[in-house]
Amino acid sequence: LPSPPGCQTALARAAASLDDAPHPAQALPDALASLARLLPAHHAALLRYEEGWAVAEASWGEPLLPSGTRLFPIHGPQRHWAPLEGERPHYLPDTTFASNWHDVGPWIGERQLRSVVAVPMLSGEALVGSLIVASLEPHAYTEEQVELVAMFGERIDLALRKARLREGERERARATERLVQMRDDFVASVSHEL
């Protein structure tokens, strides 16, 4: 693991790119790559939980998952392991021994994920997804590395919340512009009638 200053620099750089992007989703692959360079990672992804499924929002590593790819169900009898509660990171040191872990394509055979760190992503109190970092090697992560993933998750979560707020502000501004235009059209129409 790089020295703490290296980690902090990478964390700050990733946060700045997310904050500066007009749409943070565009900067997510770079942020995931920054995180993966600090860890023994073979795959990293931001998953959103949607209609009972874990869906790829962004990913890093091979194979690269297109945004919108449905990966696995998060509820019901076919439920796959995924953090569905709490705010703390979840660590599976060896997926081979996890009772609710199911290998899913494309991570089967030689690409089988063996160590997984998952950080829940919240919107208020609601769980909306998770940040996942995984290795093909069992027991790949230390406690410090799990905490590093948690810090990245917090930064990504903050950037996405800011983006939602900015988009809400833009939508309110567009609605205000439409109302002003309607008022102006009405005034022009009434003035013309007089």
Side-chain angles (χ1 to χ4, degrees), residues 10 13-15 17-18 21 23-37 43-47 56-62 64-68 131-133 152 156 160:
R13 195 173 309 137
S17 71
L18 288 166
H23 302 284
Q26 297 167 343
L28 285 172
D30 290 337
L32 293 173
S34 294
L35 174 59
R37 281 192 293 273
H43 180 71
L46 183 65
L47 307 179
E57 181 72 25
S59 71
W60 171 89
E62 292 297 327
L64 194 61
L65 298 172
S67 181
L131 170 63
I132 304 286
V133 176
F152 259 79
I156 289 172
L160 293 174

PDB file of all heavy atoms in Angstrom, residues 10 13-15 17-18 21 23-37 43-47 56-62 64-68 131-133 152 156 160:
ATOM      1  N   ALA A  10      -4.080  10.712  -4.026  1.00  0.00           N
ATOM      2  CA  ALA A  10      -4.961  10.016  -4.963  1.00  0.00           C
ATOM      3  C   ALA A  10      -6.425  10.247  -4.606  1.00  0.00           C
ATOM      4  O   ALA A  10      -7.261  10.473  -5.489  1.00  0.00           O
ATOM      5  CB  ALA A  10      -4.649   8.524  -4.973  1.00  0.00           C
ATOM      6  N   ARG A  13      -7.300  13.820  -5.575  1.00  0.00           N
ATOM      7  CA  ARG A  13      -7.381  13.954  -7.032  1.00  0.00           C
ATOM      8  C   ARG A  13      -8.693  13.359  -7.550  1.00  0.00           C
ATOM      9  O   ARG A  13      -9.370  13.956  -8.388  1.00  0.00           O
ATOM     10  CB  ARG A  13      -6.181  13.269  -7.668  1.00  0.00           C
ATOM     11  CG  ARG A  13      -5.962  13.648  -9.106  1.00  0.00           C
ATOM     12  CD  ARG A  13      -4.666  13.090  -9.678  1.00  0.00           C
ATOM     13  NE  ARG A  13      -3.548  13.416  -8.814  1.00  0.00           N
ATOM     14  CZ  ARG A  13      -2.579  12.574  -8.493  1.00  0.00           C
ATOM     15  NH1 ARG A  13      -2.565  11.358  -8.979  1.00  0.00           N
ATOM     16  NH2 ARG A  13      -1.597  12.932  -7.697  1.00  0.00           N
ATOM     17  N   ALA A  14      -9.045  12.179  -7.054  1.00  0.00           N
ATOM     18  CA  ALA A  14     -10.290  11.539  -7.482  1.00  0.00           C
ATOM     19  C   ALA A  14     -11.492  12.372  -7.074  1.00  0.00           C
ATOM     20  O   ALA A  14     -12.428  12.573  -7.859  1.00  0.00           O
ATOM     21  CB  ALA A  14     -10.391  10.132  -6.901  1.00  0.00           C
ATOM     22  N   ALA A  15     -11.481  12.900  -5.854  1.00  0.00           N
ATOM     23  CA  ALA A  15     -12.594  13.733  -5.384  1.00  0.00           C
ATOM     24  C   ALA A  15     -12.714  14.997  -6.228  1.00  0.00           C
ATOM     25  O   ALA A  15     -13.824  15.402  -6.592  1.00  0.00           O
ATOM     26  CB  ALA A  15     -12.398  14.093  -3.916  1.00  0.00           C
ATOM     27  N   SER A  17     -11.763  15.447  -9.361  1.00  0.00           N
ATOM     28  CA  SER A  17     -12.273  15.139 -10.702  1.00  0.00           C
ATOM     29  C   SER A  17     -13.767  14.869 -10.664  1.00  0.00           C
ATOM     30  O   SER A  17     -14.500  15.260 -11.570  1.00  0.00           O
ATOM     31  CB  SER A  17     -11.514  13.978 -11.332  1.00  0.00           C
ATOM     32  OG  SER A  17     -11.832  12.764 -10.706  1.00  0.00           O
ATOM     33  N   LEU A  18     -14.242  14.223  -9.588  1.00  0.00           N
ATOM     34  CA  LEU A  18     -15.678  13.984  -9.458  1.00  0.00           C
ATOM     35  C   LEU A  18     -16.436  15.285  -9.240  1.00  0.00           C
ATOM     36  O   LEU A  18     -17.497  15.511  -9.814  1.00  0.00           O
ATOM     37  CB  LEU A  18     -15.951  13.025  -8.298  1.00  0.00           C
ATOM     38  CG  LEU A  18     -15.569  11.569  -8.529  1.00  0.00           C
ATOM     39  CD1 LEU A  18     -15.568  10.810  -7.216  1.00  0.00           C
ATOM     40  CD2 LEU A  18     -16.514  10.920  -9.523  1.00  0.00           C
ATOM     41  N   ALA A  21     -16.478  17.494 -12.559  1.00  0.00           N
ATOM     42  CA  ALA A  21     -17.149  16.955 -13.739  1.00  0.00           C
ATOM     43  C   ALA A  21     -18.583  17.475 -13.814  1.00  0.00           C
ATOM     44  O   ALA A  21     -19.280  17.520 -12.793  1.00  0.00           O
ATOM     45  CB  ALA A  21     -17.164  15.434 -13.682  1.00  0.00           C
ATOM     46  N   HIS A  23     -21.031  15.986 -15.055  1.00  0.00           N
ATOM     47  CA  HIS A  23     -21.799  14.812 -14.655  1.00  0.00           C
ATOM     48  C   HIS A  23     -20.808  13.833 -14.032  1.00  0.00           C
ATOM     49  O   HIS A  23     -20.021  13.213 -14.755  1.00  0.00           O
ATOM     50  CB  HIS A  23     -22.500  14.171 -15.858  1.00  0.00           C
ATOM     51  CG  HIS A  23     -23.417  15.109 -16.561  1.00  0.00           C
ATOM     52  ND1 HIS A  23     -24.645  15.446 -16.050  1.00  0.00           N
ATOM     53  CD2 HIS A  23     -23.275  15.809 -17.711  1.00  0.00           C
ATOM     54  CE1 HIS A  23     -25.223  16.309 -16.867  1.00  0.00           C
ATOM     55  NE2 HIS A  23     -24.417  16.546 -17.872  1.00  0.00           N
ATOM     56  N   PRO A  24     -20.811  13.679 -12.696  1.00  0.00           N
ATOM     57  CA  PRO A  24     -19.825  12.824 -12.034  1.00  0.00           C
ATOM     58  C   PRO A  24     -19.768  11.409 -12.582  1.00  0.00           C
ATOM     59  O   PRO A  24     -18.721  10.769 -12.525  1.00  0.00           O
ATOM     60  CB  PRO A  24     -20.259  12.836 -10.575  1.00  0.00           C
ATOM     61  CG  PRO A  24     -20.971  14.115 -10.415  1.00  0.00           C
ATOM     62  CD  PRO A  24     -21.671  14.348 -11.737  1.00  0.00           C
ATOM     63  N   ALA A  25     -20.862  10.910 -13.133  1.00  0.00           N
ATOM     64  CA  ALA A  25     -20.838   9.555 -13.686  1.00  0.00           C
ATOM     65  C   ALA A  25     -19.754   9.423 -14.751  1.00  0.00           C
ATOM     66  O   ALA A  25     -19.166   8.359 -14.913  1.00  0.00           O
ATOM     67  CB  ALA A  25     -22.201   9.191 -14.260  1.00  0.00           C
ATOM     68  N   GLN A  26     -19.470  10.512 -15.465  1.00  0.00           N
ATOM     69  CA  GLN A  26     -18.422  10.486 -16.482  1.00  0.00           C
ATOM     70  C   GLN A  26     -17.043  10.328 -15.855  1.00  0.00           C
ATOM     71  O   GLN A  26     -16.135   9.788 -16.485  1.00  0.00           O
ATOM     72  CB  GLN A  26     -18.463  11.763 -17.324  1.00  0.00           C
ATOM     73  CG  GLN A  26     -19.745  11.926 -18.105  1.00  0.00           C
ATOM     74  CD  GLN A  26     -19.896  13.321 -18.677  1.00  0.00           C
ATOM     75  OE1 GLN A  26     -19.233  14.265 -18.262  1.00  0.00           O
ATOM     76  NE2 GLN A  26     -20.793  13.447 -19.645  1.00  0.00           N
ATOM     77  N   ALA A  27     -16.849  10.803 -14.640  1.00  0.00           N
ATOM     78  CA  ALA A  27     -15.547  10.738 -13.966  1.00  0.00           C
ATOM     79  C   ALA A  27     -15.392   9.488 -13.117  1.00  0.00           C
ATOM     80  O   ALA A  27     -14.301   9.224 -12.614  1.00  0.00           O
ATOM     81  CB  ALA A  27     -15.348  11.989 -13.108  1.00  0.00           C
ATOM     82  N   LEU A  28     -16.450   8.717 -12.937  1.00  0.00           N
ATOM     83  CA  LEU A  28     -16.382   7.535 -12.076  1.00  0.00           C
ATOM     84  C   LEU A  28     -15.341   6.512 -12.522  1.00  0.00           C
ATOM     85  O   LEU A  28     -14.600   5.994 -11.685  1.00  0.00           O
ATOM     86  CB  LEU A  28     -17.752   6.881 -11.955  1.00  0.00           C
ATOM     87  CG  LEU A  28     -18.745   7.598 -11.051  1.00  0.00           C
ATOM     88  CD1 LEU A  28     -20.125   6.970 -11.174  1.00  0.00           C
ATOM     89  CD2 LEU A  28     -18.272   7.595  -9.614  1.00  0.00           C
ATOM     90  N   PRO A  29     -15.229   6.179 -13.813  1.00  0.00           N
ATOM     91  CA  PRO A  29     -14.199   5.197 -14.193  1.00  0.00           C
ATOM     92  C   PRO A  29     -12.786   5.638 -13.796  1.00  0.00           C
ATOM     93  O   PRO A  29     -11.988   4.817 -13.336  1.00  0.00           O
ATOM     94  CB  PRO A  29     -14.348   5.084 -15.720  1.00  0.00           C
ATOM     95  CG  PRO A  29     -15.791   5.435 -15.966  1.00  0.00           C
ATOM     96  CD  PRO A  29     -16.092   6.518 -14.955  1.00  0.00           C
ATOM     97  N   ASP A  30     -12.472   6.920 -13.944  1.00  0.00           N
ATOM     98  CA  ASP A  30     -11.154   7.413 -13.542  1.00  0.00           C
ATOM     99  C   ASP A  30     -10.972   7.324 -12.029  1.00  0.00           C
ATOM    100  O   ASP A  30      -9.885   6.992 -11.549  1.00  0.00           O
ATOM    101  CB  ASP A  30     -10.935   8.852 -14.015  1.00  0.00           C
ATOM    102  CG  ASP A  30     -10.772   8.943 -15.523  1.00  0.00           C
ATOM    103  OD1 ASP A  30     -10.393   7.921 -16.141  1.00  0.00           O
ATOM    104  OD2 ASP A  30     -11.019  10.020 -16.079  1.00  0.00           O
ATOM    105  N   ALA A  31     -12.023   7.637 -11.277  1.00  0.00           N
ATOM    106  CA  ALA A  31     -11.941   7.528  -9.814  1.00  0.00           C
ATOM    107  C   ALA A  31     -11.729   6.078  -9.398  1.00  0.00           C
ATOM    108  O   ALA A  31     -10.918   5.787  -8.512  1.00  0.00           O
ATOM    109  CB  ALA A  31     -13.204   8.091  -9.165  1.00  0.00           C
ATOM    110  N   LEU A  32     -12.424   5.154 -10.059  1.00  0.00           N
ATOM    111  CA  LEU A  32     -12.243   3.732  -9.750  1.00  0.00           C
ATOM    112  C   LEU A  32     -10.828   3.277 -10.105  1.00  0.00           C
ATOM    113  O   LEU A  32     -10.214   2.501  -9.376  1.00  0.00           O
ATOM    114  CB  LEU A  32     -13.281   2.887 -10.489  1.00  0.00           C
ATOM    115  CG  LEU A  32     -14.735   3.073 -10.047  1.00  0.00           C
ATOM    116  CD1 LEU A  32     -15.673   2.311 -10.974  1.00  0.00           C
ATOM    117  CD2 LEU A  32     -14.935   2.669  -8.604  1.00  0.00           C
ATOM    118  N   ALA A  33     -10.295   3.776 -11.209  1.00  0.00           N
ATOM    119  CA  ALA A  33      -8.917   3.430 -11.601  1.00  0.00           C
ATOM    120  C   ALA A  33      -7.923   3.959 -10.575  1.00  0.00           C
ATOM    121  O   ALA A  33      -6.953   3.271 -10.230  1.00  0.00           O
ATOM    122  CB  ALA A  33      -8.613   3.978 -12.993  1.00  0.00           C
ATOM    123  N   SER A  34      -8.153   5.172 -10.068  1.00  0.00           N
ATOM    124  CA  SER A  34      -7.271   5.735  -9.038  1.00  0.00           C
ATOM    125  C   SER A  34      -7.273   4.858  -7.795  1.00  0.00           C
ATOM    126  O   SER A  34      -6.220   4.588  -7.211  1.00  0.00           O
ATOM    127  CB  SER A  34      -7.717   7.147  -8.643  1.00  0.00           C
ATOM    128  OG  SER A  34      -7.569   8.030  -9.712  1.00  0.00           O
ATOM    129  N   LEU A  35      -8.443   4.410  -7.395  1.00  0.00           N
ATOM    130  CA  LEU A  35      -8.558   3.537  -6.232  1.00  0.00           C
ATOM    131  C   LEU A  35      -7.857   2.207  -6.490  1.00  0.00           C
ATOM    132  O   LEU A  35      -7.086   1.723  -5.662  1.00  0.00           O
ATOM    133  CB  LEU A  35     -10.028   3.306  -5.895  1.00  0.00           C
ATOM    134  CG  LEU A  35     -10.339   2.293  -4.797  1.00  0.00           C
ATOM    135  CD1 LEU A  35      -9.684   2.699  -3.482  1.00  0.00           C
ATOM    136  CD2 LEU A  35     -11.837   2.139  -4.634  1.00  0.00           C
ATOM    137  N   ALA A  36      -8.092   1.635  -7.650  1.00  0.00           N
ATOM    138  CA  ALA A  36      -7.524   0.323  -7.960  1.00  0.00           C
ATOM    139  C   ALA A  36      -5.998   0.357  -8.018  1.00  0.00           C
ATOM    140  O   ALA A  36      -5.350  -0.636  -7.683  1.00  0.00           O
ATOM    141  CB  ALA A  36      -8.093  -0.177  -9.284  1.00  0.00           C
ATOM    142  N   ARG A  37      -5.410   1.483  -8.410  1.00  0.00           N
ATOM    143  CA  ARG A  37      -3.952   1.586  -8.446  1.00  0.00           C
ATOM    144  C   ARG A  37      -3.337   1.536  -7.046  1.00  0.00           C
ATOM    145  O   ARG A  37      -2.169   1.236  -6.888  1.00  0.00           O
ATOM    146  CB  ARG A  37      -3.527   2.875  -9.155  1.00  0.00           C
ATOM    147  CG  ARG A  37      -3.604   2.764 -10.667  1.00  0.00           C
ATOM    148  CD  ARG A  37      -2.918   3.933 -11.347  1.00  0.00           C
ATOM    149  NE  ARG A  37      -3.587   5.200 -11.146  1.00  0.00           N
ATOM    150  CZ  ARG A  37      -4.576   5.666 -11.899  1.00  0.00           C
ATOM    151  NH1 ARG A  37      -5.024   4.950 -12.911  1.00  0.00           N
ATOM    152  NH2 ARG A  37      -5.117   6.837 -11.656  1.00  0.00           N
ATOM    153  N   HIS A  43     -10.622  -5.759 -10.038  1.00  0.00           N
ATOM    154  CA  HIS A  43     -11.905  -5.209 -10.493  1.00  0.00           C
ATOM    155  C   HIS A  43     -12.399  -4.197  -9.461  1.00  0.00           C
ATOM    156  O   HIS A  43     -12.215  -4.379  -8.264  1.00  0.00           O
ATOM    157  CB  HIS A  43     -12.943  -6.330 -10.656  1.00  0.00           C
ATOM    158  CG  HIS A  43     -14.268  -5.845 -11.111  1.00  0.00           C
ATOM    159  ND1 HIS A  43     -14.490  -5.389 -12.389  1.00  0.00           N
ATOM    160  CD2 HIS A  43     -15.430  -5.684 -10.459  1.00  0.00           C
ATOM    161  CE1 HIS A  43     -15.749  -4.980 -12.497  1.00  0.00           C
ATOM    162  NE2 HIS A  43     -16.343  -5.166 -11.335  1.00  0.00           N
ATOM    163  N   ALA A  44     -13.032  -3.142  -9.954  1.00  0.00           N
ATOM    164  CA  ALA A  44     -13.704  -2.163  -9.091  1.00  0.00           C
ATOM    165  C   ALA A  44     -14.961  -1.712  -9.820  1.00  0.00           C
ATOM    166  O   ALA A  44     -14.959  -1.608 -11.054  1.00  0.00           O
ATOM    167  CB  ALA A  44     -12.794  -0.972  -8.795  1.00  0.00           C
ATOM    168  N   ALA A  45     -16.013  -1.480  -9.065  1.00  0.00           N
ATOM    169  CA  ALA A  45     -17.272  -1.062  -9.694  1.00  0.00           C
ATOM    170  C   ALA A  45     -18.114  -0.261  -8.715  1.00  0.00           C
ATOM    171  O   ALA A  45     -18.030  -0.462  -7.502  1.00  0.00           O
ATOM    172  CB  ALA A  45     -18.072  -2.283 -10.169  1.00  0.00           C
ATOM    173  N   LEU A  46     -18.893   0.634  -9.271  1.00  0.00           N
ATOM    174  CA  LEU A  46     -19.940   1.296  -8.512  1.00  0.00           C
ATOM    175  C   LEU A  46     -21.241   0.681  -8.998  1.00  0.00           C
ATOM    176  O   LEU A  46     -21.542   0.709 -10.196  1.00  0.00           O
ATOM    177  CB  LEU A  46     -19.938   2.806  -8.748  1.00  0.00           C
ATOM    178  CG  LEU A  46     -20.976   3.557  -7.926  1.00  0.00           C
ATOM    179  CD1 LEU A  46     -20.655   3.455  -6.433  1.00  0.00           C
ATOM    180  CD2 LEU A  46     -21.041   5.004  -8.336  1.00  0.00           C
ATOM    181  N   LEU A  47     -21.954   0.056  -8.058  1.00  0.00           N
ATOM    182  CA  LEU A  47     -23.222  -0.599  -8.380  1.00  0.00           C
ATOM    183  C   LEU A  47     -24.367   0.215  -7.818  1.00  0.00           C
ATOM    184  O   LEU A  47     -24.266   0.752  -6.724  1.00  0.00           O
ATOM    185  CB  LEU A  47     -23.266  -2.005  -7.778  1.00  0.00           C
ATOM    186  CG  LEU A  47     -22.111  -2.942  -8.101  1.00  0.00           C
ATOM    187  CD1 LEU A  47     -22.322  -4.279  -7.406  1.00  0.00           C
ATOM    188  CD2 LEU A  47     -21.955  -3.121  -9.599  1.00  0.00           C
ATOM    189  N   ALA A  56     -24.518  -2.252 -12.838  1.00  0.00           N
ATOM    190  CA  ALA A  56     -23.249  -1.524 -12.972  1.00  0.00           C
ATOM    191  C   ALA A  56     -23.514  -0.072 -13.359  1.00  0.00           C
ATOM    192  O   ALA A  56     -24.215   0.199 -14.321  1.00  0.00           O
ATOM    193  CB  ALA A  56     -22.364  -2.187 -14.015  1.00  0.00           C
ATOM    194  N   GLU A  57     -22.962   0.842 -12.574  1.00  0.00           N
ATOM    195  CA  GLU A  57     -23.000   2.273 -12.902  1.00  0.00           C
ATOM    196  C   GLU A  57     -21.691   2.640 -13.610  1.00  0.00           C
ATOM    197  O   GLU A  57     -21.688   3.376 -14.578  1.00  0.00           O
ATOM    198  CB  GLU A  57     -23.174   3.093 -11.627  1.00  0.00           C
ATOM    199  CG  GLU A  57     -23.241   4.572 -11.839  1.00  0.00           C
ATOM    200  CD  GLU A  57     -24.542   5.029 -12.476  1.00  0.00           C
ATOM    201  OE1 GLU A  57     -25.567   4.352 -12.349  1.00  0.00           O
ATOM    202  OE2 GLU A  57     -24.528   6.093 -13.106  1.00  0.00           O
ATOM    203  N   ALA A  58     -20.582   2.136 -13.087  1.00  0.00           N
ATOM    204  CA  ALA A  58     -19.256   2.345 -13.675  1.00  0.00           C
ATOM    205  C   ALA A  58     -18.371   1.210 -13.211  1.00  0.00           C
ATOM    206  O   ALA A  58     -18.604   0.617 -12.154  1.00  0.00           O
ATOM    207  CB  ALA A  58     -18.683   3.685 -13.230  1.00  0.00           C
ATOM    208  N   SER A  59     -17.328   0.893 -13.991  1.00  0.00           N
ATOM    209  CA  SER A  59     -16.428  -0.169 -13.572  1.00  0.00           C
ATOM    210  C   SER A  59     -15.014   0.089 -14.071  1.00  0.00           C
ATOM    211  O   SER A  59     -14.792   0.905 -14.961  1.00  0.00           O
ATOM    212  CB  SER A  59     -16.925  -1.539 -14.048  1.00  0.00           C
ATOM    213  OG  SER A  59     -16.777  -1.681 -15.443  1.00  0.00           O
ATOM    214  N   TRP A  60     -14.092  -0.650 -13.464  1.00  0.00           N
ATOM    215  CA  TRP A  60     -12.690  -0.642 -13.855  1.00  0.00           C
ATOM    216  C   TRP A  60     -12.218  -2.080 -13.850  1.00  0.00           C
ATOM    217  O   TRP A  60     -12.643  -2.876 -13.014  1.00  0.00           O
ATOM    218  CB  TRP A  60     -11.853   0.178 -12.862  1.00  0.00           C
ATOM    219  CG  TRP A  60     -10.391   0.034 -13.106  1.00  0.00           C
ATOM    220  CD1 TRP A  60      -9.618   0.789 -13.935  1.00  0.00           C
ATOM    221  CD2 TRP A  60      -9.529  -0.957 -12.540  1.00  0.00           C
ATOM    222  NE1 TRP A  60      -8.337   0.321 -13.926  1.00  0.00           N
ATOM    223  CE2 TRP A  60      -8.249  -0.756 -13.075  1.00  0.00           C
ATOM    224  CE3 TRP A  60      -9.718  -2.005 -11.647  1.00  0.00           C
ATOM    225  CZ2 TRP A  60      -7.164  -1.551 -12.740  1.00  0.00           C
ATOM    226  CZ3 TRP A  60      -8.641  -2.799 -11.311  1.00  0.00           C
ATOM    227  CH2 TRP A  60      -7.380  -2.565 -11.848  1.00  0.00           C
ATOM    228  N   GLY A  61     -11.311  -2.416 -14.750  1.00  0.00           N
ATOM    229  CA  GLY A  61     -10.759  -3.763 -14.822  1.00  0.00           C
ATOM    230  C   GLY A  61     -11.376  -4.530 -15.975  1.00  0.00           C
ATOM    231  O   GLY A  61     -12.331  -4.084 -16.609  1.00  0.00           O
ATOM    232  N   GLU A  62     -10.784  -5.669 -16.239  1.00  0.00           N
ATOM    233  CA  GLU A  62     -11.274  -6.509 -17.334  1.00  0.00           C
ATOM    234  C   GLU A  62     -12.077  -7.664 -16.770  1.00  0.00           C
ATOM    235  O   GLU A  62     -11.637  -8.281 -15.810  1.00  0.00           O
ATOM    236  CB  GLU A  62     -10.109  -7.025 -18.170  1.00  0.00           C
ATOM    237  CG  GLU A  62      -9.397  -5.937 -18.942  1.00  0.00           C
ATOM    238  CD  GLU A  62     -10.280  -5.252 -19.966  1.00  0.00           C
ATOM    239  OE1 GLU A  62     -11.162  -5.915 -20.545  1.00  0.00           O
ATOM    240  OE2 GLU A  62     -10.117  -4.044 -20.168  1.00  0.00           O
ATOM    241  N   LEU A  64     -14.544  -4.960 -18.720  1.00  0.00           N
ATOM    242  CA  LEU A  64     -15.181  -3.695 -18.392  1.00  0.00           C
ATOM    243  C   LEU A  64     -16.685  -3.850 -18.595  1.00  0.00           C
ATOM    244  O   LEU A  64     -17.124  -4.337 -19.634  1.00  0.00           O
ATOM    245  CB  LEU A  64     -14.628  -2.596 -19.298  1.00  0.00           C
ATOM    246  CG  LEU A  64     -14.921  -1.162 -18.905  1.00  0.00           C
ATOM    247  CD1 LEU A  64     -14.324  -0.854 -17.538  1.00  0.00           C
ATOM    248  CD2 LEU A  64     -14.355  -0.222 -19.937  1.00  0.00           C
ATOM    249  N   LEU A  65     -17.451  -3.462 -17.587  1.00  0.00           N
ATOM    250  CA  LEU A  65     -18.905  -3.610 -17.669  1.00  0.00           C
ATOM    251  C   LEU A  65     -19.541  -2.329 -18.192  1.00  0.00           C
ATOM    252  O   LEU A  65     -19.293  -1.255 -17.650  1.00  0.00           O
ATOM    253  CB  LEU A  65     -19.481  -3.900 -16.285  1.00  0.00           C
ATOM    254  CG  LEU A  65     -19.019  -5.175 -15.619  1.00  0.00           C
ATOM    255  CD1 LEU A  65     -19.527  -5.229 -14.191  1.00  0.00           C
ATOM    256  CD2 LEU A  65     -19.496  -6.373 -16.406  1.00  0.00           C
ATOM    257  N   PRO A  66     -20.362  -2.422 -19.214  1.00  0.00           N
ATOM    258  CA  PRO A  66     -21.078  -1.225 -19.660  1.00  0.00           C
ATOM    259  C   PRO A  66     -22.051  -0.759 -18.582  1.00  0.00           C
ATOM    260  O   PRO A  66     -22.640  -1.575 -17.870  1.00  0.00           O
ATOM    261  CB  PRO A  66     -21.843  -1.693 -20.899  1.00  0.00           C
ATOM    262  CG  PRO A  66     -21.231  -2.998 -21.294  1.00  0.00           C
ATOM    263  CD  PRO A  66     -20.630  -3.576 -20.050  1.00  0.00           C
ATOM    264  N   SER A  67     -22.196   0.541 -18.459  1.00  0.00           N
ATOM    265  CA  SER A  67     -23.162   1.092 -17.514  1.00  0.00           C
ATOM    266  C   SER A  67     -24.547   0.550 -17.854  1.00  0.00           C
ATOM    267  O   SER A  67     -24.927   0.478 -19.014  1.00  0.00           O
ATOM    268  CB  SER A  67     -23.155   2.622 -17.609  1.00  0.00           C
ATOM    269  OG  SER A  67     -24.066   3.162 -16.688  1.00  0.00           O
ATOM    270  N   GLY A  68     -25.268   0.143 -16.818  1.00  0.00           N
ATOM    271  CA  GLY A  68     -26.606  -0.403 -17.015  1.00  0.00           C
ATOM    272  C   GLY A  68     -26.650  -1.926 -17.039  1.00  0.00           C
ATOM    273  O   GLY A  68     -27.731  -2.508 -17.093  1.00  0.00           O
ATOM    274  N   LEU A 131     -20.019   0.455  -3.538  1.00  0.00           N
ATOM    275  CA  LEU A 131     -18.722   0.520  -4.184  1.00  0.00           C
ATOM    276  C   LEU A 131     -18.053  -0.821  -3.911  1.00  0.00           C
ATOM    277  O   LEU A 131     -17.972  -1.249  -2.757  1.00  0.00           O
ATOM    278  CB  LEU A 131     -17.883   1.661  -3.600  1.00  0.00           C
ATOM    279  CG  LEU A 131     -16.417   1.708  -4.011  1.00  0.00           C
ATOM    280  CD1 LEU A 131     -16.275   1.932  -5.515  1.00  0.00           C
ATOM    281  CD2 LEU A 131     -15.691   2.792  -3.237  1.00  0.00           C
ATOM    282  N   ILE A 132     -17.595  -1.485  -4.966  1.00  0.00           N
ATOM    283  CA  ILE A 132     -17.001  -2.814  -4.850  1.00  0.00           C
ATOM    284  C   ILE A 132     -15.561  -2.766  -5.348  1.00  0.00           C
ATOM    285  O   ILE A 132     -15.292  -2.206  -6.413  1.00  0.00           O
ATOM    286  CB  ILE A 132     -17.774  -3.841  -5.721  1.00  0.00           C
ATOM    287  CG1 ILE A 132     -19.250  -3.879  -5.371  1.00  0.00           C
ATOM    288  CG2 ILE A 132     -17.124  -5.215  -5.660  1.00  0.00           C
ATOM    289  CD1 ILE A 132     -19.584  -4.549  -4.093  1.00  0.00           C
ATOM    290  N   VAL A 133     -14.666  -3.361  -4.591  1.00  0.00           N
ATOM    291  CA  VAL A 133     -13.287  -3.578  -5.020  1.00  0.00           C
ATOM    292  C   VAL A 133     -12.999  -5.057  -4.790  1.00  0.00           C
ATOM    293  O   VAL A 133     -13.329  -5.586  -3.727  1.00  0.00           O
ATOM    294  CB  VAL A 133     -12.293  -2.700  -4.233  1.00  0.00           C
ATOM    295  CG1 VAL A 133     -10.862  -3.012  -4.634  1.00  0.00           C
ATOM    296  CG2 VAL A 133     -12.588  -1.232  -4.443  1.00  0.00           C
ATOM    297  N   PHE A 152     -12.807   6.262  -0.062  1.00  0.00           N
ATOM    298  CA  PHE A 152     -13.164   6.522  -1.459  1.00  0.00           C
ATOM    299  C   PHE A 152     -14.684   6.485  -1.625  1.00  0.00           C
ATOM    300  O   PHE A 152     -15.261   7.315  -2.327  1.00  0.00           O
ATOM    301  CB  PHE A 152     -12.505   5.499  -2.389  1.00  0.00           C
ATOM    302  CG  PHE A 152     -11.288   6.016  -3.080  1.00  0.00           C
ATOM    303  CD1 PHE A 152     -10.077   6.090  -2.406  1.00  0.00           C
ATOM    304  CD2 PHE A 152     -11.336   6.433  -4.394  1.00  0.00           C
ATOM    305  CE1 PHE A 152      -8.943   6.567  -3.039  1.00  0.00           C
ATOM    306  CE2 PHE A 152     -10.208   6.905  -5.033  1.00  0.00           C
ATOM    307  CZ  PHE A 152      -9.005   6.981  -4.359  1.00  0.00           C
ATOM    308  N   ILE A 156     -16.978   9.423  -3.180  1.00  0.00           N
ATOM    309  CA  ILE A 156     -17.843   9.205  -4.343  1.00  0.00           C
ATOM    310  C   ILE A 156     -19.286   9.520  -3.977  1.00  0.00           C
ATOM    311  O   ILE A 156     -19.998  10.196  -4.724  1.00  0.00           O
ATOM    312  CB  ILE A 156     -17.696   7.759  -4.866  1.00  0.00           C
ATOM    313  CG1 ILE A 156     -16.323   7.597  -5.528  1.00  0.00           C
ATOM    314  CG2 ILE A 156     -18.813   7.405  -5.832  1.00  0.00           C
ATOM    315  CD1 ILE A 156     -15.989   6.161  -5.899  1.00  0.00           C
ATOM    316  N   LEU A 160     -21.624  12.389  -5.717  1.00  0.00           N
ATOM    317  CA  LEU A 160     -22.896  12.067  -6.367  1.00  0.00           C
ATOM    318  C   LEU A 160     -24.050  12.839  -5.738  1.00  0.00           C
ATOM    319  O   LEU A 160     -24.965  13.285  -6.436  1.00  0.00           O
ATOM    320  CB  LEU A 160     -23.146  10.564  -6.319  1.00  0.00           C
ATOM    321  CG  LEU A 160     -22.169   9.722  -7.147  1.00  0.00           C
ATOM    322  CD1 LEU A 160     -22.417   8.235  -6.916  1.00  0.00           C
ATOM    323  CD2 LEU A 160     -22.263  10.065  -8.621  1.00  0.00           C
TER     324      LEU A 160
END
